[in-house]
Amino acid sequence: MSIVLARPSGHLASAGLFVWILLAYVFCGLLAWRRRPGSGFGRLMVLVGFGAALSNLAWSADPVLYTVGQALDLLVVALFLHVFLAFPDGRLRGPARPLVLLAYAASVGLQLTVMLLGGFGEDNLLVVADVPELADGLHAVELVVLSGLLLAGWAFWPTG
């Protein structure tokens, strides 16, 4: 799907790299799931692989697919933090749980807010108010917040 969407939009090299990473998550997740079916980590890795693929919908020329893909574009950041902090058994513990929930809220909630404010161009079907300066500023805040959450994740990384 990623390659098909990327070809007409000129994102073919990015799509190839993305598919390689996505398949690594899916196949490693399937292997982990098969070897340790009681652990949720394998299932989580498969979910990360497929969840990351949703952002590629933003490469579509169809406005509906573009809008869905753009809305989920940064979901992969929260998914990565989730899988990172859930290692090795797929469970979040202690302060890692609110950190990951905040990452999900920021990656989807702030992205939707940016889209409501007219961010991401003409194909965005969610525009309620066209305020591109505010949308751009909020998008910058979103990226800083997500970067900070990823960095904070190191503090809660399970050490074994």
Side-chain angles (χ1 to χ4, degrees), residues 39-152:
S39 169
F41 194 71
R43 291 185 299 273
L44 180 59
M45 285 187 70
V46 171
L47 179 67
V48 169
F50 286 115
L54 293 174
S55 68
N56 292 346
L57 294 174
W59 293 337
S60 174
D62 178 69
V64 172
L65 293 178
Y66 171 83
T67 300
V68 171
Q70 196 61 59
L72 300 175
D73 185 45
L74 294 174
L75 177 64
V76 69
V77 176
L79 288 168
F80 175 76
L81 183 64
H82 191 160
V83 78
F84 178 73
L85 292 176
F87 180 79
D89 61 2
R91 291 186 176 87
L92 294 171
R93 289 180 174 71
R97 185 173 291 145
L99 191 71
V100 170
L101 289 174
L102 187 57
Y104 282 116
S107 67
V108 177
L110 288 176
Q111 189 80 346
L112 287 172
T113 306
V114 169
M115 293 179 77
L116 291 170
L117 295 172
F120 306 114
E122 298 172 2
D123 288 339
N124 171 11
L125 299 177
L126 298 180
V127 178
V128 173
D130 194 17
V131 191
E133 298 83 18
L134 184 57
D136 289 345
L138 185 58
H139 189 243
V141 168
E142 175 186 21
L143 295 174
V144 169
V145 166
L146 288 171
S147 298
L149 290 170
L150 287 174
L151 289 173

